[in-house]
Amino acid sequence: DGGITQSPKYLFRKEGQNVTLSCEQNLNHDAMYWYRQDPGQGLRLIYYSQIVNDFQKGDIAEGYSVSREKKESFPLTVTSAQKNPTAFYLCASSIYNGGPEQYFGPGTRLTVT
Amino acid sequence: RKEVEQDPGPFNVPEGATVAFNCTYSNSASQSFFWYRQDCRKEPKLLMSVYSSGNEDGRFTAQLNRASQYISLLIRDSKLSDSATYLCVVSHANFGNEKLTFGTGTRLTIIP
C-alpha cells in the first residue's frame, strides 16, 4: 500500500533534549513538508523540500532542522532551541509540478516536559 | 486579518439535515482551493478541490466566489460519519512554489 508513515505516534521528551521525528513515503512524490498543529490554530509550515538534498524554511523554522538525503525520507529534528515544542507534527507530500494537493501522514504527538 | 478565515463552530446538526460552511481568504492572487476533513486527533485528508465552476461529489458540493473571495462547502443528507473538523485550504504561488494556507477549521457534529 502506498502512503506516508510517521513514527512514533506519541513521543515524550524532557526539555533540553533534541528529538527526531521520522517521515517516510512510498508514493514517489517529489515534495515533502513538515507542519505543526496547535489547538485553535491552522497548520503552520515548518520546512519543505521539493527535491533531494534541497529544502526551504517555512513560516516557523526556528528551532527545527531537516534533511532530505533520500526521496522517500524527510526527518525533522526538534532542537532544544524550539521554545514551545509540544504540538502535533504532520508530514505531507505532493507531486512537484503536479497539483498542489498535499497528502498527510498520521502525525506524531510530541510532548516535552 | 487572517489569510484564511473560518467560523470555528461548533455546529451541531441533526442527522439528515443540510449544512453549509463558508470560508473567506484575503489573498486575491490565490490560485487553488480545497476542503480537507480532519477527524479528532488524526491527520487532515483531502475531501475535495474547489473549482471556479463549482463541483459536486456525492452529497458534497463546493463553490468558489473569486469576486467576494469566499469558498463554501455544502453537505446534504448529513450522516453521523460526517462529524469532523473541516479545513478550508488556499494555495498561492510563493517564489515559484505553491504554498498552502490552512484555515483553523470548522467543527461539525452530527446528532442522531
Side-chain angles (χ1 to χ4, degrees):
Chain A
D1 281 338
I4 304 174
T5 56
Q6 291 185 245
S7 60
K9 192 169 182 180
Y10 298 96
L11 189 53
F12 298 88
R13 278 292 182 270
K14 290 288 188 189
E15 201 173 305
Q17 294 177 337
N18 290 357
V19 59
T20 297
L21 312 184
S22 160
C23 177
E24 305 276 331
Q25 55 96 2
N26 60 5
L27 299 167
N28 200 31
H29 284 175
D30 302 288
M32 297 185 75
Y33 311 81
W34 274 105
Y35 294 89
R36 71 176 273 168
Q37 187 175 35
D38 296 280
Q41 298 201 39
L43 274 70
R44 292 184 289 166
L45 183 64
I46 304 172
Y47 267 99
Y48 64 99
S49 167
Q50 293 179 309
I51 198 167
V52 173
N53 291 324
D54 186 55
F55 48 82
Q56 309 294 330
K57 290 182 179 180
D59 300 318
I60 54 163
E62 187 175 345
Y64 300 97
S65 65
V66 292
S67 62
R68 187 88 185 275
E69 295 175 4
K70 297 187 299 183
K71 187 175 183 178
E72 304 79 25
S73 177
F74 191 40
L76 172 75
T77 297
V78 184
T79 75
S80 56
Q82 168 49 233
K83 298 274 188 281
N84 297 296
T86 295
F88 186 36
Y89 289 88
L90 288 155
C91 179
S93 69
S94 68
I95 301 172
Y96 183 52
N97 285 334
E101 299 90 337
Q102 294 178 14
Y103 299 90
F104 287 84
T108 292
R109 288 198 180 272
L110 173 64
T111 303
V112 176
T113 57
Chain B
R1 184 185 169 188
K2 287 184 184 176
E3 284 191 62
V4 178
E5 290 208 63
Q6 296 183 251
D7 184 337
F11 289 86
N12 299 316
V13 173
E15 194 175 4
T18 296
V19 59
F21 314 131
N22 279 347
C23 159
T24 58
Y25 61 94
S26 60
N27 187 342
S28 58
S30 297
Q31 296 167 307
S32 303
F33 309 88
F34 309 93
W35 285 102
Y36 277 72
R37 171 202 167 116
Q38 187 173 24
D39 292 298
C40 189
R41 302 179 74 80
K42 297 285 181 81
E43 74 274 23
K45 291 186 177 174
L46 179 65
L47 179 66
M48 59 198 302
S49 302
V50 187
Y51 304 121
S52 297
S53 54
N55 48 303
E56 191 173 307
D57 183 2
R59 298 181 292 108
F60 298 83
T61 300
Q63 300 263 343
L64 167 63
N65 185 318
R66 283 191 185 270
S68 302
Q69 293 182 204
Y70 79 79
I71 307 144
S72 64
L73 178 67
L74 180 83
I75 307 174
R76 287 181 299 278
D77 187 24
S78 53
K79 313 286 184 196
L80 296 177
S81 57
D82 294 333
S83 297
T85 296
Y86 291 84
L87 307 178
C88 174
V89 183
V90 172
S91 84
H92 63 271
N94 181 45
F95 297 104
N97 308 309
E98 281 210 61
K99 181 193 171 192
L100 294 189
T101 301
F102 290 78
T104 54
T106 296
R107 201 165 116 220
L108 172 67
T109 301
I110 305 300
I111 303 164

